[in-house]
Amino acid sequence: MDRDRERRMTPSQFNMRRINMRQIIGKISLWFAVLVIVSPAILFFLWMVSLSLKFEVDNAAYPPVFIPEHFAWKNYADVVASNRFVTYFFNSLIVTGSATALALIVGVPAGYGIARMAAHKSAIVILIARITPGLSYLIPLFLLFQWLGLLGTLVPQIIIHLVVTVPIVIWIMIGYFETTPLELEEAALIDGATRWQVFRHVALPIAKPGIAVAFILAVIFSWNNFVFGIVLAGRETRTLPVAVYNMISFDQLSWGPLAAAALIVTLPVLLLTVFAQRQIVAGLTAGAVKGG
């Protein structure tokens, strides 16, 4: 029957059928590739959730228990009720919020200026600053903060986080502003607007998707930073990644509370990404990450 149908088909129908089959095979291949790439991350995340909901007896059991009979919600309660965990949470909010806000205040106008002036050499400098490891800045800044007497406070952590967040914001905004149309800005300049008014009333509203992407990435890189906090922070000014690390000891390692603490640290960034996914997709499709 299939061969008879193929013989009755016109050349255009046969070609259309081949195109449809290629599209279906392409979609299946794409989803399979996405599944292969994403499945390890999903598996690790689910296993982390499993660890956080099990008692230590189940975590040490062999063969491993993925879904326990009784859930250990006490792990989360112990983490939240532990000493200084709430303080560390607010420290992370202050450091990440301040570093992200300052990076946007500096980075968005800088990205606009570099894009409009076609300052390619400046863009290369920003790229170098972006790919340079943060540890390269740690030692000289540590000596500077020690000389100023700021070690153990939140101020050096906020300043050194700018080393990470500012290049990210500038680089993303350069790529985004290069894709925005110049006609609206030229029309505003002809009507008598100043360059600052053009940036504020024309460029910024168009750049909201790009700013959203820059904001999300700056928050993620700042929130998850570990090295700066463990070197520059004091006992009362540690951030959440450092607090999770301090739960590891040589005497006893409790996997349940440790996994629960790691999930609590991940939760704010995860929720922020979920709620802002529309803006992220809009920024990515509009060229907000042009140039990688």
Side-chain angles (χ1 to χ4, degrees), residues 52-63:
S52 68
L53 295 175
K54 291 186 296 187
F55 293 95
E56 292 306 309
V57 176
D58 294 328
N59 285 328
Y62 185 84

Side-chain angles (χ1 to χ4, degrees), residues 187-255:
L189 290 173
I190 293 174
D191 291 338
T194 62
R195 177 58 66 178
W196 170 251
Q197 291 173 335
V198 170
F199 169 72
R200 180 181 177 184
H201 299 289
V202 179
L204 275 185
I206 299 176
K208 285 183 179 180
I211 295 175
V213 175
F215 172 78
I216 294 295
L217 293 180
V219 168
I220 292 174
F221 278 91
S222 179
W223 183 271
N224 294 329
N225 192 278
F226 169 75
V227 177
F228 295 158
I230 199 171
V231 174
L232 299 176
R235 182 176 295 272
E236 297 292 335
T237 57
R238 292 169 179 165
T239 54
L240 280 181
V242 181
V244 174
Y245 173 76
N246 289 335
M247 296 181 65
I248 301 176
S249 62
F250 293 101
D251 298 332
Q252 182 181 5
L253 181 59
S254 300
W255 290 107

